[in-house]
């Protein structure tokens, strides 16, 4: 089983914690990680971009000029794609970008993302994380204790913690999630991942 250091809120190591080998020590599957990130980003797309083809543009019912004898090119409608104000050729239309993955594959991707963070030394386990009051300075002081003020940081708590979430709300690059809300994209998109000991237990309970 992989072992990682256990830290307090001041950034001091207080011990070690053993992680579940099935969740945090599996073989990293890069192809599944790519598939999971693609799925997550695709599912965020609205897909409501729309353009009008020549059949939907208002006007253009009358032939602009007669077919022959004018010296000009033949024209049947002023709403041709060749004309200003005409229709659009092969433009976007409303569609769904949603794709899905089997549950087992999604869980494999999540375990691969967690394992990659452990292997890179970017998963930091905390004994606890709580603030007495909602202040941005509290979160800044916490990050300074780990020298993590530069780069993106992801903070994962066992349950919704309003003080932690709102204290991090004004800091660019810092994201807070609960243990049930962790996802592949956010894990890979942040340089450091801070996870409380209670959140680790809940993650292992779901994925193990």
């Amino acid at each position: 089983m992989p072992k990682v250091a256990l830290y307090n809120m001041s950034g001091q190591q207080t011990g070690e914690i053993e992680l579940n080998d099935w969740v945090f020590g599996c073989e990293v599957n890069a192809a599944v990680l790519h598939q999971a990130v693609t799925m997550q980003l695709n599912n965020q797309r609205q897909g409501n971009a729309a353009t009008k083809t020549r059949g939907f543009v208002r006007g253009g019912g009358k032939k602009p000029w007669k077919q022959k004898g004018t010296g000009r090119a033949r024209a049947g409608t002023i709403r041709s794609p060749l004309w200003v104000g005409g229709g659009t050729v092969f433009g976007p239309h409303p569609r769904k970008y949603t794709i899905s993955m089997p549950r087992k594959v999604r869980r494999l991707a999540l375990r691969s993302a967690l394992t990659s963070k452990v292997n890179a030394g970017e998963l930091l386990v905390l004994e606890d994380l709580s603030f007495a009051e909602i202040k941005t300075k509290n979160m800044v002081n916490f990050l300074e204790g780990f020298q993590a003020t530069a780069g993106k940081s992801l903070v994962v708590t066992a349950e919704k913690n309003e003080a932690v979430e709102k204290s991090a709300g004004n800091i660019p690059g810092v994201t807070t999630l609960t243990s049930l809300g962790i996802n592949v994209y956010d894990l890979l998109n942040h340089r450091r991942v801070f996870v409380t000991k209670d959140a680790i237990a809940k993650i292992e309970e779901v994925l193990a």
Side-chain angles (χ1 to χ4, degrees):
M1 288 188 176
K3 286 185 178 181
V4 296
L6 187 64
Y7 297 93
N8 59 19
M9 288 179 54
S10 301
Q12 298 172 340
Q13 183 175 346
T14 59
E16 287 186 333
I17 182 174
E18 282 191 357
L19 302 177
N20 188 295
D21 195 46
W22 175 254
V23 179
F24 296 93
C26 69
E27 183 178 350
V28 177
N29 192 320
V32 169
L33 286 175
H34 177 271
Q35 189 177 351
V37 170
T38 301
M39 179 195 72
Q40 190 169 341
L41 294 179
N42 269 26
N43 292 350
Q44 292 176 359
R45 299 184 67 174
Q46 292 183 336
N48 56 4
T51 54
K52 292 182 178 181
T53 62
R54 62 187 293 169
F56 291 96
V57 180
R58 182 183 177 91
K62 179 184 176 182
K63 188 174 175 67
W65 50 76
K66 64 180 184 178
Q67 182 81 346
K68 292 179 176 291
T70 64
R72 288 182 288 189
R74 295 170 292 186
T77 171
I78 62 173
R79 295 304 177 226
S80 164
L82 302 177
W83 287 56
V84 174
T88 301
V89 182
F90 304 131
H93 298 287
R95 55 163 289 191
K96 290 184 178 180
Y97 289 92
T98 305
I99 57 177
S100 61
M101 293 170 59
R103 185 176 67 172
K104 286 186 178 180
V105 182
R106 293 200 306 268
R107 290 191 170 191
L108 173 60
L110 200 51
R111 290 191 283 112
S112 294
L114 290 168
T115 300
S116 68
K117 286 296 175 184
V118 172
N119 293 344
E122 296 174 351
L123 184 80
L124 304 171
V125 182
L126 308 172
E127 289 181 339
D128 187 33
L129 181 61
S130 59
F131 300 138
E133 54 185 343
I134 299 172
K135 276 192 174 181
T136 302
K137 187 176 181 180
N138 290 335
M139 181 58 72
V140 172
N141 291 338
F142 164 74
L143 294 173
E144 286 178 349
F146 289 89
Q147 298 180 350
T149 51
K152 293 183 177 181
S153 295
L154 178 66
V155 180
V156 183
T157 55
E159 296 178 352
K160 187 177 178 65
N161 190 320
E162 187 178 12
V164 173
E165 290 180 9
K166 290 189 174 181
S167 295
N170 288 333
I171 305 176
V174 178
T175 305
T176 58
L177 293 174
T178 63
S179 57
L180 295 179
I182 61 170
N183 56 83
V184 175
Y185 177 76
D186 280 327
L187 286 172
L188 298 181
N189 193 40
H190 291 79
R191 183 177 177 185
R192 298 178 186 84
V193 180
F194 297 96
V195 190
T196 63
K197 188 168 61 173
D198 293 340
I200 289 287
K202 286 201 170 188
I203 292 170
E204 291 179 344
E205 182 181 349
V206 174
L207 297 180

